[in-house]
Amino acid sequence: MSSGTQDVRAWLTGRVATYLRRTPEEIDTTLPMSEYGLDSLTALAISADIEDEFDLVLPPETTWDHPTIDQLGAALTALIEEKARP
């Protein structure tokens, strides 16, 4: 896993933990976020946070298409790297 993916994953873990009122250490990044009770409204809020933080435009289903923080982090890193290419 690249450092970029790790940075995005750490940021995502922090956001998910905040919404779920847990510490980042309590979040297993390999489990589907829905197992923590993440609902569609929270998923949309996280998508909006991602758009604001990384200046991306995401389809609303992005968090459901990549159900774990690890999967979502990898997908976001790829989008960020693609956007940065000239």
Side-chain angles (χ1 to χ4, degrees):
M1 188 177 299
S2 73
S3 64
T5 301
Q6 291 174 344
D7 293 342
V8 171
R9 187 183 68 181
W11 181 87
L12 281 170
T13 303
R15 294 307 304 147
V16 170
T18 297
Y19 280 108
L20 298 176
R21 294 187 172 98
R22 297 177 180 228
T23 66
E25 295 77 24
E26 294 177 277
I27 305 298
D28 181 342
T29 62
T30 65
L31 289 177
M33 291 179 277
S34 61
E35 289 193 23
Y36 287 104
L38 184 77
D39 61 19
S40 58
L41 290 177
T42 307
L44 287 173
I46 291 171
S47 290
D49 291 345
I50 290 166
E51 290 178 349
D52 290 344
E53 181 71 18
F54 300 105
D55 194 30
L56 296 171
V57 177
L58 303 175
E61 66 275 1
T62 299
T63 53
W64 298 118
D65 289 345
H66 307 284
T68 70
I69 290 172
D70 286 348
Q71 292 170 340
L72 184 56
L76 291 176
T77 298
L79 289 171
I80 292 165
E81 289 172 353
E82 182 180 310
K83 183 179 177 183
R85 288 187 197 126

